[in-house]
Amino acid sequence: MKRFERLQRLGLFIFLVAMCLFFSFMSPYFATWENFTNILVQSAVLIIVGAGVTLVIATAGIDLSIGSILALSSIIMAAALKAGAGLFAGVALGILSGAVMGLVNGLGVAGLGISPFIVTLGAAGIYRALALIFTDARPIYGLPLDLRFWGTGSLGPFPVSAVIAFAVVLAASLLIAWTRFGVNLRAVGDNPQGAFRMGVPIRRVLVWVYVLSGAAAALAGVVVTARLNTAEAIAGLGMELEAIAAVVMGGTSFFGGEASISGTLLGALIIGTLANGLTIINVPSYYQQLVIGIVFILAVLADRIKRRESNII
Amino acid sequence: MINQTRETAGALMADALVQLKGIEKHFSGKIALDRAELALRRGEILGLVGDNGAGKSTMLKIISGVLKKDAGEILMEGQAVRINSPVHSRGLGIEMVYQDLSLCGSLNVWENIFLGRYQTRSFFKMPSPVLDKRKMIKMTVETMASLGIRRLDANAPVRNLSGGEQQAVAICRCLLFHPRVILLDEPTASMALKERQKVLELVRGLKERGRSIIMVTHNLEELFQVADRAAVFKEGRAIWQGPLRGLKPDDVARMMFVGKA
């Protein structure tokens, strides 16, 4: 089991390196520091969102509303900033609003006992509609210049957005491996009845997982808005597929009970590198979706094989 | 025989550690327990036997707090207690090893053993949610060793263990917090003979440590191997409770299926 996970992780790493070598061979513009920085910036949003989704999938749940939460929370943040709120207050409000949207999802799943697929699919429609209604489908631009630092600034040689992403990865890794909450969430995903019998507060764990996923999506919304200096209601459209693909590709099981943030990081970097490399070698963007879709299905198949080898299904 | 055992059950009430009186439980209108009575003495192994659906496991789950009773009373050392959740029963020193073991396959041995009751670190004398893994692994290894299990890796995922090893993990989990009462729901179900004997040895070992045990079983041979007394359940009631000394498995089987000895 552990051997399979190590092999899977190593396989992903080799795949990432092979992809980099391929794109370097195909284009002289790929293997440059500037382009690697671009990949980090492009992947940062997916890494942040993916960390939240990893927690959800580890509980055998799913969050299809992350793209909509990203959009609505960034609209709320932008509206607050335009209304004169300070930078810190605006960003905090944006993240808080994402957490509240996650709370609504969590209460639907844990409180009402509705399937996470249904709750978050419905919520995705509602949050996206609210973002469109609130902005009349027009982008909000002309935000304070200080905000741009979050999306385009640098800390030494590293882009700020990448630093934020790696901080989120570190925090999520520590949460999963070193806290009561981390063991509880994997237990809830593996055997909810057994976890309940052992005194794990399964409803509370589920609610918190969706709150954290919502907050992570909102933080990603801050980075997207800061990078473009614009908040728009269509931001994050289709991000669910990429995020779930990154998570499952990284070894977090769709069936719950396992969570690998380092795997999600690798998965997100692979998707980011793929998008960047295909653009550099002039492959149209819709082929990128095709490749991500195929990679996603392959990752789910690998997950099933892994579970079958362990006699779980 | 039945008259004699009614007297025995009545006499038990005075020195019972756990006593259940008039317990009722319904599932969607169907009666699972019908004013059932049960008493467990200190330091004994009480076997619960009966046909499928007789109410044995339901009784155990009510004591463990997984199910809530519809009516009746639970007494511990003569005092009425409320058990509304597994957390309540654990707080009273009652642990249960479930028939399905309630283990999480993808979690490792120590994570399963400490599930819901983690040892955490404190920083600057302040409690924190950070796990004290070293302490939990050490306690796991020590408790396993005290049960005679020395070759089990505390970091191994539980799904990689054999049925007997998983049963040992479940028993180790309930022992770690020094319970007074241990409930075992068919601890040897679907096990090979060799593993079955190991588990029965573990159960006897629990009694030697002074634990009081209620064990549900379908296997009368096992019942006579480990239990001091038995309660025969039929149609939601304990129709007989008494010591097994002087009885044969056939006597108990007759009570299970005919309703009298």
Side-chain angles (χ1 to χ4, degrees), chain A residues 1-13:
Chain A
M1 190 59 217
K2 291 277 178 195
R3 202 171 129 254
F4 192 103
E5 280 165 14
R6 275 198 295 269
L7 278 174
Q8 190 179 16
R9 206 75 42 83
L10 183 67
L12 282 178
F13 187 71

Side-chain angles (χ1 to χ4, degrees), chain A residues 11-149:
Chain A
L12 282 178
F13 187 71
I14 291 170
F15 183 62
L16 181 61
V17 172
M19 217 165 48
C20 289
L21 288 173
F22 171 75
F23 288 127
S24 306
F25 180 73
M26 295 294 289
S27 166
Y29 305 109
F30 183 82
T32 62
W33 175 251
E34 196 184 354
N35 191 47
F36 283 134
T37 312
N38 271 340
I39 292 173
L40 284 180
V41 170
Q42 283 171 358
S43 307
V45 169
L46 191 54
I47 292 169
I48 297 168
V49 171
V53 175
T54 305
L55 304 182
V56 174
I57 292 183
T59 64
I62 195 140
D63 191 346
L64 300 173
S65 67
I66 44 172
S68 303
I69 292 179
L70 185 152
L72 182 55
S73 60
S74 60
I75 296 287
I76 291 170
M77 176 187 71
L81 291 172
K82 289 286 273 187
L87 182 66
F88 179 78
V91 168
L93 183 68
I95 295 171
L96 184 67
S97 68
V100 170
M101 287 178 245
L103 176 68
V104 172
N105 289 348
L107 291 175
V109 173
L112 303 177
I114 307 171
S115 135
F117 181 86
I118 302 295
V119 170
T120 58
L121 186 63
I126 294 168
Y127 299 150
R128 182 72 66 188
L130 287 175
L132 288 162
I133 292 165
F134 190 72
T135 58
D136 213 8
R138 293 195 190 104
I140 300 175
Y141 44 84
L143 300 171
L145 285 176
D146 292 353
L147 181 67
R148 286 186 63 80
F149 175 75

Side-chain angles (χ1 to χ4, degrees), chain A residues 117-229:
Chain A
F117 181 86
I118 302 295
V119 170
T120 58
L121 186 63
I126 294 168
Y127 299 150
R128 182 72 66 188
L130 287 175
L132 288 162
I133 292 165
F134 190 72
T135 58
D136 213 8
R138 293 195 190 104
I140 300 175
Y141 44 84
L143 300 171
L145 285 176
D146 292 353
L147 181 67
R148 286 186 63 80
F149 175 75
W150 290 67
T152 57
S154 294
L155 285 172
F158 301 107
V160 171
S161 54
V163 173
I164 293 172
F166 285 102
V168 169
V169 164
L170 185 67
S173 299
L174 293 176
L175 187 74
I176 287 170
W178 283 95
T179 67
R180 285 189 291 222
F181 182 74
V183 183
N184 281 346
L185 79 91
R186 285 183 286 127
V188 168
D190 186 293
N191 181 354
Q193 191 184 42
F196 167 71
R197 288 170 176 175
M198 293 305 121
V200 174
I202 52 175
R203 286 186 179 167
R204 201 189 313 160
V205 169
L206 283 174
V207 169
W208 270 106
V209 158
Y210 285 90
V211 166
L212 290 173
S213 176
L219 179 61
V222 173
V223 172
V224 170
T225 309
R227 200 164 71 208
L228 305 173
N229 206 26

Side-chain angles (χ1 to χ4, degrees), chain B residues 5-99:
Chain B
T5 54
R6 274 187 187 148
E7 282 171 24
T8 316
L12 268 173
M13 300 303 177
D15 65 337
L17 175 59
V18 180
Q19 203 173 319
L20 292 104
K21 286 182 171 177
I23 302 293
E24 285 182 28
K25 181 69 190 172
H26 299 82
F27 293 114
S28 321
K30 280 192 173 178
I31 194 151
L33 287 174
D34 181 14
R35 288 163 288 151
E37 310 267 330
L38 195 69
L40 172 71
R41 272 195 280 192
R42 272 182 196 81
E44 75 168 358
I45 299 180
L46 172 67
L48 303 195
V49 289
D51 204 359
N52 285 334
K56 316 174 297 286
S57 293
T58 306
M59 196 67 154
L60 233 52
K61 285 175 183 164
I62 283 174
I63 305 172
S64 76
V66 167
L67 294 176
K68 288 178 190 166
K69 59 184 167 48
D70 296 330
E73 198 178 14
I74 304 175
L75 306 168
M76 270 197 92
E77 294 177 317
Q79 300 290 314
V81 290
R82 284 183 61 188
I83 300 178
N84 289 328
S85 74
V87 176
H88 283 165
S89 70
R90 282 177 151 195
L92 292 166
I94 301 170
E95 293 281 340
M96 178 156 171
V97 179
Y98 295 87
Q99 190 178 354

